[in-house]
Amino acid sequence: MSKRIIVDVQYDQTRVAILEDNELVELYMEGDDSHTIVGNIYRGKVENVLPGMQAAFVDIGLEKNAFLYVGDINTDKSVFEFPGKQAPSVNDARALSIRDIISTGQELTVQVLKEPIGTKGARVTTQITLPGRYMVLMPTVNYVGVSRRIEDETERTRLKEIAERLKPHGMGMIVRTAAQGKDQDDFVQDIDFLCRLWARIQSKEWRGKVPRVLYEDEDIIYRTIRDFYAPDIDKIIINNREEYDKTLELADVLFPGLRQRVELFDDSIPIFQYFDIEYKIEKAIQKKVWLKNGGYLIIDPTEALTVIDVNTGKFVGSRNLEDTVLKTNLEAAQEIAHQIRLRDIGGIIIIDFIDMGKEENKKKVIEVLESSLKKDRTRTNVLGFTGLGLVEMTRKKVRSRLSSKLLKPCPYCHGTGRVYSETMVVARIEKELENEVKDSGIWGVAVEVHPSVARTWTEDGGKNIDILEKTLNCRIYPRENHNLHIEESIIHRLVDQREAEKYFLEYKES
C-alpha cells in the first residue's frame, strides 16, 4: 500500500492530508483561529462540583469551563489528601462522591482529552500523558502497557519487558505502535526527553496565576510526523521551504531514515489541487457517497449520533437478490470505515445495511467492517446487529467532525436542510400585510420577492391578490428580485399614485 503525507502551508493555515493508495483517509487543519488544544496541559481551578453528575467544571482559561469526570481523576498521587486513610484507587474513586475527592476553589493540573464540541466545553483529566516517538510517558500513574495495534504476543511481551526496565520510578509508560521491531537503545532518548519535559511542566505548576497554560503540544507538522511516520510512509511532501528545512532538522535528530523521504513541492499548481485532494475534501462533506458498484451511502449526523443508510442505487447485480445485497453491503462496509475515519465521526454510529436473510452473510459484513476499521488509529467498537437489523458501533470522540470545521450552520434553514416552500412564503407575506396594512389608510404596497415566489403568488391570474386587495383596501404589486433568498421579502409602502410612479421608475432603472 502506498502511503504519503501531503502538507499544504499557507499564510494563515496549514493543512495535512494522509493518502493511502491515493485515497484521502485523514485530514488535519490548523490556523490562526483553529489551534487544537487536545494534549495541552493547564493549571486550573475547580469552579463547581456536581455530585449528581459525578463531575466538576474547571476553569482553564477557555471560553467555556472544562468538564472533569470522576473517572478521569487520578487519586494515586499526593496532590489529593485523604487524612487518616489510604487514597482510593481509580475504580474505588468512581464509587465515591466526587465531593470526597475534590472541592470548589481547588487548583488542579489537568490535560485536555477532547476539544470543545458544540455547546460542550473541553473534557479534561488529571491523568497526564506525554507522547514521544515510541513511548507515552504517564507521570501520574505506575503502569506499563503496549499498544493494542501490536498484535503479535511475542513482540508485545518483549516490548513490555523493555518498558519495565526503562520505566522511571513511580511513573507509567505505554509502548506505541511505532516501537514494533525496535531495540532498547531506540527508546532511551525518547524516555529521557519526556522525563525532562515533565520536569519543566512541574517547575511551572506552582508559579503564576490560575488558570494558565503549562504546556502546549507541538505544531501540526511535528505532531503528524511524530504520530504517523513509520517505515511504510513513502513520502512526506511539503510546499513550503521553511517548513521543509525544519522537517529535515527534525529528521536528523529524531527520525533516522526520514530525510530521504521528505520532498519539497515547488510546482506552480497548488499542492492540494495537484494531488486531487481539494476534490476529495468536497466529497467528504457531502451527504450522499457513491460506491464503486453504483450503490450509495447516506450519512446523516445528528446531535446524539450518526446514522448511515446503505442503498443499492444503480447496482442491479447479476445473480439473485441476496447476492446483490451482499455485494453492496460488503463494499459499503469498507467505505463506511473509510468515511468514519476521514470525516472524524465520533460517538454512537448506527448503520442500516440492506436487509440480508442469511446469518452467514451478516457475519461476513461485520468481519469486513471490523477489518477495515483496523486502519483507524481512533478506538472503535462494533457491537453487531441489533434485533431491528441495525449495526451499532461507537468511535471515540476526540475532535470535532470534519464537516464542522469546513461548514457552518445555514442561516436560512438553521441546520434542517429545508427552506419554506413558495406557497408557505406567500402565506407568510399575506399575513404580514394583514398585520401592517389593514386599516392603515395606505394607498398601496410593492412587495419584492424571489422570482419563484412571485410566480406562485400571481398564478391563476392573480386572483388571490385581487381578493387580498379588496380585504385590505390597498393595492399590491409583487415584484421579482433575483438577489433575494426564497424566504426573504421587502415591503415598500406607497403613499399615493405619485409615490407608486416614483418607485416603479427607480425599480425599472435598477
Side-chain angles (χ1 to χ4, degrees), residues 11-81:
Y11 70 95
D12 60 345
Q13 186 183 62
T14 299
R15 299 184 295 175
V16 177
I18 313 297
L19 302 183
E20 293 180 357
D21 289 337
N22 292 322
E23 281 294 323
L24 178 65
V25 295
E26 294 189 44
L27 178 69
Y28 299 92
M29 296 175 291
E30 192 166 271
D32 295 339
D33 59 347
S34 60
H35 287 286
T36 182
I37 63 168
V38 172
N40 287 3
I41 300 174
Y42 297 84
R43 188 68 175 172
K45 181 178 288 187
V46 178
E47 286 294 301
N48 48 3
V49 179
L50 307 175
M53 295 178 63
Q54 281 289 71
F57 287 100
V58 183
D59 180 9
I60 59 174
L62 301 181
E63 183 179 349
K64 298 187 181 102
N65 287 339
F67 180 84
L68 175 64
Y69 175 61
V70 67
D72 293 321
I73 300 175
N74 172 49
T75 58
D76 293 338
K77 292 290 178 180
S78 58
V79 68
F80 297 105
E81 297 180 1

Side-chain angles (χ1 to χ4, degrees), residues 443 493-505:
W443 183 83
R493 290 171 171 259
L494 306 174
V495 178
D496 52 27
Q497 178 73 36
R498 185 178 176 182
E499 185 75 19
E501 290 174 355
K502 179 183 177 183
Y503 164 78
F504 285 118
L505 179 61

Side-chain angles (χ1 to χ4, degrees), residues 435-437 440 442 444-446 491-496 499 503:
N435 293 334
E436 291 192 12
V437 176
S440 67
I442 197 167
V445 291
I491 298 174
H492 299 272
R493 290 171 171 259
L494 306 174
V495 178
D496 52 27
E499 185 75 19
Y503 164 78

Side-chain angles (χ1 to χ4, degrees), residues 1 13 25 31 79 84 98 101 112 116 121 137 170 223 247 272 291 301 304 306 320 331 348 354 357 381 459 474:
M1 177 187 292
Q13 186 183 62
V25 295
V79 68
I98 192 169
I101 305 174
V112 177
L137 181 68
R223 294 197 313 269
T247 302
F272 269 30
L291 304 176
T306 298
N320 54 56
E331 185 174 336
I348 300 170
I354 305 168
N381 182 26
E459 64 186 7
C474 168

